[in-house]
Amino acid sequence: MTRRSVTASAPGKIILSGEHFVVHGSYSVAAAINKRVLATVQEIDGSRSRIVSNDLVSHLGSDDGTFLGVKSIARSIISNVPRKNRESFEISIRSEIPSGAGLGSSAAVNVACAAALTKFVGLSSKEEEIQKLAFDGERILHGNPSGLDVQASISGGLILFKKGTLIEKIHLERPFKLLVVFSGKKRRTSKLVAKVAKIRERYPNHFQRLVDSSSASSFEIALAAKTRNMEKIGSIFEIAQANLSWIGVSTPHLESLIEFLYQKQEVLGAKLTGAGGGGSVIAVIKEGSEEPILRHASGSYPFGFVTEIPEEGFRWEK
Ligand code: MEV
């Protein structure tokens, strides 16, 4: 007997400008990446729905500390289904994005699961609904998120964003490529967001200037992306990296990864992306030299890839 199932997928993200400052009101620019999370919801026998990813299995009713975001999303969806129509299901999650790497894996998991499960139970699966569910899941995981990761995963493409609002999906005449290198060090976004809030309390005026500077950089990046001015994007990455370092989210390990990339003159600019404290670095590379620079990095770091900016956000899979 074939079992009824629904599969949805959603991309991870990189942040080109405005991470952390976006939580405090800055404009920011983020892009989807060519790595996705797939979530399949399938009907199962028995009365206990479950979530499965790699070797980890947890029942929806269990408070064992796993899949916190997905469980909260699933419970919220089910609460809108009349009892007599509820069936047991398994959500199985497959991800191409390492977790804790600053590449939006948790947002992509939440978006893909919310999209697959709303459709599976026959509720409205409009973009706004999926976004709201996924954002609620992010709040459980990260405390005070801006919504940027969820928005990038939902919309795809390159976006200009301000807390809670998509300002613009930036149209690119010709997509460009960016290099992404995972430093190998995982970290928790919520801890770093809390650390930055303390810095802001301590230096409110200086911090506000950095928020404003981050907004200006975001507008410049948006324009440079439209006009394909890669040198400009690279130089804004350098400024962004200095500001992120000042608020304490860079690390010696990330700085040395950035220095390592700068050994190659084809690297036009590099910065940490996402919450920092570990995680990943992105770099703008002279067109055509992306693959050799990736090979240069791959010898010393565990995971890297070149991404174009895919236009598509979440989608249902056949
Ligand atoms: C994390 O990917 C980005 C942060 O700015 C947090 C947020 O926007 O919610 C650090």
Side-chain angles (χ1 to χ4, degrees):
M1 188 180 77
T2 46
R3 299 274 180 166
R4 196 166 68 81
S5 75
V6 176
T7 297
S9 76
K13 65 92 194 44
I14 45 179
I15 300 178
L16 283 73
S17 166
E19 49 271 271
H20 288 291
F21 300 112
V22 65
V23 174
H24 304 281
S26 164
Y27 287 83
S28 56
V29 175
I33 54 173
N34 57 6
K35 304 258 171 259
R36 300 180 78 88
V37 169
L38 271 113
T40 298
V41 181
Q42 184 172 41
E43 60 177 325
I44 55 170
D45 294 330
S47 59
R48 299 177 81 197
S49 294
R50 59 179 182 252
I51 304 163
V52 180
S53 182
N54 299 322
D55 293 336
L56 195 59
V57 182
S58 179
H59 289 102
L60 190 54
S62 144
D63 287 322
D64 57 6
T66 63
F67 303 115
L68 294 178
V70 177
K71 283 180 183 167
S72 134
I73 290 168
R75 287 174 191 154
S76 151
I77 293 174
I78 293 160
S79 69
N80 289 307
V81 178
R83 261 177 206 287
K84 62 176 180 15
N85 297 347
R86 290 184 194 171
E87 335 171 67
S88 298
F89 55 81
E90 175 184 280
I91 305 180
S92 89
I93 302 166
R94 280 159 295 156
S95 178
E96 298 171 343
I97 312 163
S99 63
L103 300 175
S105 82
S106 75
V109 165
N110 289 342
V111 170
C113 289
L117 191 55
T118 45
K119 188 147 187 190
F120 179 82
V121 300
L123 289 177
S124 155
S125 31
K126 289 209 189 97
E127 191 171 306
E128 305 87 80
E129 256 106 0
I130 292 164
Q131 177 152 16
K132 189 181 168 313
L133 285 160
F135 184 56
D136 288 346
E138 282 290 278
R139 263 211 283 257
I140 305 254
L141 297 172
H142 300 315
N144 179 28
S146 64
L148 176 59
D149 293 15
V150 167
Q151 185 71 61
S153 183
I154 293 256
S155 313
L158 184 72
I159 58 167
L160 179 66
F161 177 90
K162 192 172 196 301
K163 194 170 184 174
T165 318
L166 173 65
I167 306 291
E168 186 188 347
K169 185 162 174 184
I170 299 160
H171 175 69
L172 300 175
E173 287 292 328
R174 198 155 63 88
F176 55 84
K177 293 179 178 171
L178 290 165
L179 173 70
V180 183
V181 184
F182 175 37
S183 68
K185 299 243 190 301
K186 296 197 175 203
R187 78 297 166 286
R188 291 254 312 272
T189 298
S190 54
K191 270 196 177 165
L192 288 141
V193 169
K195 179 176 177 184
V196 172
K198 288 216 173 90
I199 299 276
R200 179 186 183 228
E201 258 170 46
R202 205 159 153 204
Y203 305 101
N205 295 335
H206 192 84
F207 193 89
Q208 187 53 45
R209 280 194 205 109
L210 293 182
V211 169
D212 297 340
S213 148
S214 156
S215 283
S217 293
S218 297
F219 286 115
E220 282 192 71
I221 290 233
L223 186 63
K226 281 181 198 165
T227 54
R228 226 172 188 283
N229 186 342
M230 304 314 284
E231 275 83 8
K232 180 81 182 175
I233 297 179
S235 57
I236 301 170
F237 277 10
E238 280 186 51
I239 299 169
Q241 175 60 29
N243 289 344
L244 289 164
S245 179
W246 193 88
I247 60 169
V249 297
S250 192
T251 64
H253 189 61
L254 286 173
E255 303 284 339
S256 86
L257 164 50
I258 291 170
E259 281 312 310
F260 176 81
L261 292 174
Y262 278 134
Q263 285 168 8
K264 299 284 176 189
Q265 61 181 25
E266 295 86 351
V267 175
L268 304 172
K271 67 179 272 290
L272 70 84
T273 185
S280 301
V281 161
I282 54 173
V284 203
I285 313 287
K286 241 188 210 149
E287 194 172 4
S289 299
E290 296 88 352
E291 294 299 333
I293 305 289
L294 173 62
R295 283 197 292 279
H296 168 67
S298 298
S300 305
Y301 292 92
F303 180 69
F305 58 98
V306 173
T307 186
E308 260 191 7
I309 300 175
E311 272 304 303
E312 204 174 18
F314 83 98
R315 65 175 181 235
W316 285 281
E317 305 282 341
K318 289 257 161 55

